[in-house]
């Protein structure tokens, strides 16, 4: 059986066959039904069609931003559709583009846009195109901007950086002596980290810090790769375009051993899923919670919860945390100048609402927004905004990136380690065995 999850530069028949394995039946939700692309219908002249994969708090916040656009440009100015996160979404974008009916603008993670570009599915973003909306490359933070480059060409317009961060329950941390006024005391190094978790556990009677270990391969991977990349000598997990499984075995084993030590000691839960992990912190049964910034909206909705957010502490040699960027891309299609101008105008209108998006936890990539007084005074976002300087993106491969085959395989093994169901060595051996199938498969993107 051949691997799935990338964006092969193959014949349309070959891609259709492969797409069936990555969940083509993902559900459609959002503010409109799909009237073009895969459904093959017509879109009203002058309408911008926009596809995205945002659910939960992000999805709700996006709808507000889209409503602002419609109010300014008319109720029929925009048709937006939201698809299932991960491979099902990227499969739909791929098939629609190959079929000649993509959306005008789409969202892509930076780590997935590279493969879309390599597969010939995206329009390069030129300075002249940016100028149509009054934009230029220097309007964007350097790291997320460069993450969208392939062979010297730009393919993405970054909206944000969304890092893995540390949430903390203020009441628990105050009782544990971990607060300095209204801020969390700095935590530096393994000893202070374990001491903080131990102090929080004494207060909660259950756990020091919660993170999903079951049914959430993404969080398992984010936690592992954050700790791994804080250590000198860390090498990419993948190199040579995914043909080489190149992680530093000793450091990966050391990191997994520590992660298992904390769950065995009861400082972190062995068996908890995504909603369970956040519930532990939100209800005072854990002092800390590890998750992406997007769960700020959920935390804010909990009545009586006092919480803060900060960068994940530096436990080893250097600051690092896993992250990605949501970006705007233009699927390849025959656009006339008016269509292109509308598409770029829509992107600019979304960038102009970067503060609204930042209130959902994300760090804006648009420099005028991130340097604005409104953002620099935004709590708790300003506490982790500098993470964009040390964020680590997943290594590039045709089967890697957010929600990818790579993430699913290795994340599942990490979860088993945290649950105490396998050893770090067996987990790495199993991940290597499974990933070798993909590493040995000829890169379908060339």
């Amino acid at each position: 059986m051949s691997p799935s999850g990338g964006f092969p530069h193959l014949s349309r028949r070959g891609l259709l066959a492969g797409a069936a394995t990555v969940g083509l039946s993902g559900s459609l939700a959002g503010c409109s039904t799909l009237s073009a692309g895969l459904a093959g219908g017509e879109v009203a002249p002058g309408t911008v069609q926009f596809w995205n994969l945002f659910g939960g708090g992000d999805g709700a916040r996006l709808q507000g931003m889209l409503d602002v656009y419609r109010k300014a440009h008319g109720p029929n100015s925009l048709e937006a559709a939201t698809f299932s996160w991960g491979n099902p979404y990227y499969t739909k974008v791929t098939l629609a583009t190959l079929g000649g009916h993509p959306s005008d603008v789409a969202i892509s993670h930076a780590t997935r846009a590279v493969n879309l570009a390599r597969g010939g599915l995206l329009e390069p973003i030129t300075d002249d195109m940016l100028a149509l909306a009054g934009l230029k490359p220097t309007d964007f933070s350097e790291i997320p901007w460069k993450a969208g480059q392939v062979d010297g060409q730009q393919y993405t317009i970054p909206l944000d950086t969304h890092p893995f961060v540390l949430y903390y329950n203020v009441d628990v941390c105050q009782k544990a002596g971990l607060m300095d006024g209204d801020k969390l005391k700095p935590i530096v190094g393994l000893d202070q980290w374990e001491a903080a978790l131990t102090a929080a556990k004494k207060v909660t009677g259950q756990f020091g810090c919660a993170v999903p270990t079951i049914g959430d391969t993404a969080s398992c991977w984010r936690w592992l790769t954050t700790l791994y990349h804080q250590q000198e000598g860390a090498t990419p997990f993948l190199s040579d375009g995914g043909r080489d499984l190149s992680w530093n075995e000793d450091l990966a084993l050391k990191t997994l051993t520590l992660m298992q030590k904390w769950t065995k000691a009861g400082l972190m839960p062995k068996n908890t899923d995504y909603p369970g992990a956040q519930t532990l912190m939100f209800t005072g049964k854990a002092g800390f919670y590890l998750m992406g910034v997007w769960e700020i909206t959920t935390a804010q909705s909990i009545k009586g919860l006092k919480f803060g957010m900060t960068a994940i502490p530096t436990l080893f040699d250097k600051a690092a945390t896993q992250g990605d960027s949501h970006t705007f891309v233009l699927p390849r299609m025959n656009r006339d100048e008016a269509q292109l101008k509308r598409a770029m105008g829509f992107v600019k209108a979304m960038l102009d609402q970067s503060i609204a998006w930042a209130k959902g936890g994300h760090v804006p990539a648009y420099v005028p927004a991130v340097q604005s007084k409104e953002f620099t005074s935004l709590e708790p976002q300003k506490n982790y905004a500098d993470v964009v300087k040390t964020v680590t993106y997943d290594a590039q491969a045709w089967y890697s990136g957010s929600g990818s085959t790579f993430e699913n395989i290795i994340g599942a093994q990490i979860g088993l380690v945290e649950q105490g169901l396998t050893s770090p060595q067996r987990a790495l051996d199993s991940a290597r065995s499974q990933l070798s199938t993909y590493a040995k498969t000829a890169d379908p993107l060339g």
Side-chain angles (χ1 to χ4, degrees):
M1 187 173 77
S2 62
S4 63
F7 300 98
H9 195 58
L10 302 170
S11 69
R12 187 169 183 270
R13 177 178 297 176
L15 186 56
L16 283 166
T21 69
V22 293
L24 202 56
S25 61
S27 63
L28 173 65
C31 61
S32 68
T33 57
L34 180 60
S35 65
L38 297 179
E42 295 295 328
V43 178
T47 299
V48 174
Q49 192 179 38
F50 171 57
W51 290 359
N52 70 89
L53 71 176
F54 295 123
D58 280 353
R61 201 168 298 275
L62 175 70
Q63 293 308 315
M65 295 165 66
L66 298 180
D67 287 344
V68 170
Y69 181 85
R70 289 192 184 91
K71 185 175 181 180
H73 296 85
N76 297 320
S77 61
L78 176 67
E79 185 175 273
T82 303
F83 297 97
S84 296
W85 191 90
N87 278 337
Y89 170 74
Y90 290 107
T91 299
K92 289 179 185 289
V93 172
T94 299
L95 292 176
T97 304
L98 288 172
H101 295 285
S103 59
D104 297 296
V105 182
I107 288 290
S108 174
H109 290 91
T111 54
R112 300 298 290 258
V114 169
N115 284 338
L116 290 171
R118 291 181 61 229
L121 301 173
L122 300 181
E123 296 284 357
I125 306 295
T126 66
D127 288 357
D128 287 344
M129 290 166 66
L130 291 171
L132 289 174
L135 296 169
K136 54 186 182 301
T138 54
D139 287 334
F140 301 90
S141 299
E142 183 177 9
I143 292 179
W145 178 257
K146 288 186 175 180
Q149 295 179 354
V150 178
D151 297 331
Q153 289 187 301
Q154 186 71 33
Y155 286 93
T156 68
I157 301 173
L159 173 62
D160 64 34
T161 299
H162 50 277
F164 203 50
V165 295
L166 183 70
Y167 294 70
Y168 57 93
N169 185 305
V170 171
D171 288 337
V172 171
C173 289
Q174 282 178 337
K175 293 175 183 177
L178 300 173
M179 299 293 291
D180 181 7
D182 61 350
K183 299 293 182 185
L184 185 70
K185 290 180 180 178
I187 299 172
V188 181
L190 284 172
D191 289 345
Q192 290 188 17
W193 171 250
E194 292 180 354
L197 265 58
T198 300
K201 178 179 172 65
K202 287 181 180 178
V203 173
T204 66
Q206 292 204 27
F207 302 106
C209 179
V211 67
T213 61
I214 296 174
D216 183 11
T217 56
S219 292
C220 293
W221 163 244
R222 290 171 184 139
W223 183 214
L224 179 280
T225 195
T226 292
L227 296 176
Y228 173 83
H229 282 287
Q230 288 189 359
Q231 301 172 71
E232 293 294 346
T235 53
F237 267 67
L238 304 173
S239 57
D240 192 22
R243 288 179 283 271
D244 185 11
L245 308 179
S246 56
W247 61 76
N248 182 318
E249 186 85 359
D250 290 340
L251 288 188
L253 282 172
K254 173 185 174 182
T255 306
L256 283 169
T257 299
L258 280 168
M259 293 168 68
Q260 191 174 71
K261 170 190 173 183
W262 297 329
T263 58
K264 280 186 175 181
L267 294 175
M268 302 179 73
K270 282 186 179 181
N271 302 295
T272 188
D273 59 10
Y274 192 109
Q278 62 183 217
T279 298
L280 287 171
M281 196 281 281
F282 294 168
T283 59
K285 296 175 183 177
F288 300 98
Y289 169 50
L290 293 157
M291 185 46 62
V293 295
W294 49 86
E295 286 301 341
I296 186 175
T297 303
T298 309
Q300 289 169 337
S301 72
I302 306 299
K303 186 176 180 180
L305 174 64
K306 291 188 289 185
F307 75 99
M309 296 164 65
T310 189
I312 292 177
T314 302
L315 305 188
F316 298 98
D317 308 309
K318 57 186 178 180
T321 192
Q322 193 271 353
D324 206 337
S325 291
H326 295 121
T327 72
F328 295 102
V329 296
L330 302 186
R332 189 174 289 278
M333 63 187 294
N334 292 321
R335 291 180 177 84
D336 59 32
E337 186 173 349
Q339 285 178 298
L340 179 59
K341 191 170 183 179
R342 281 195 299 271
M344 294 303 298
F346 170 76
V347 171
K348 177 60 162 57
M350 294 296 101
L351 293 173
D352 286 342
Q353 297 185 70
S354 287
I355 298 302
W357 189 246
K359 289 179 180 178
H362 307 289
V363 180
Y366 188 43
V367 171
V370 81
Q371 292 182 348
S372 69
K373 183 177 180 180
E374 193 172 1
F375 179 75
T376 56
S377 61
L378 198 60
E379 291 274 9
Q381 287 86 337
K382 69 179 185 180
N383 298 332
Y384 56 81
D386 282 347
V387 166
V388 297
K389 300 175 183 176
T390 56
V391 68
T392 63
Y393 291 78
D394 292 357
Q396 292 182 9
W398 67 269
Y399 55 92
S400 71
S402 290
S404 66
T405 299
F406 168 80
E407 190 176 85
N408 291 336
I409 288 174
I410 198 160
Q413 292 302 313
I414 296 165
L416 292 176
V417 171
E418 292 177 291
Q419 295 163 47
L421 298 178
T422 192
S423 70
Q425 186 64 67
R426 286 197 297 271
L428 285 179
D429 290 346
S430 179
R432 186 176 293 276
S433 176
Q434 294 178 66
L435 291 169
S436 290
T437 301
Y438 298 84
K440 293 175 182 177
T441 298
D443 183 349
L445 300 175

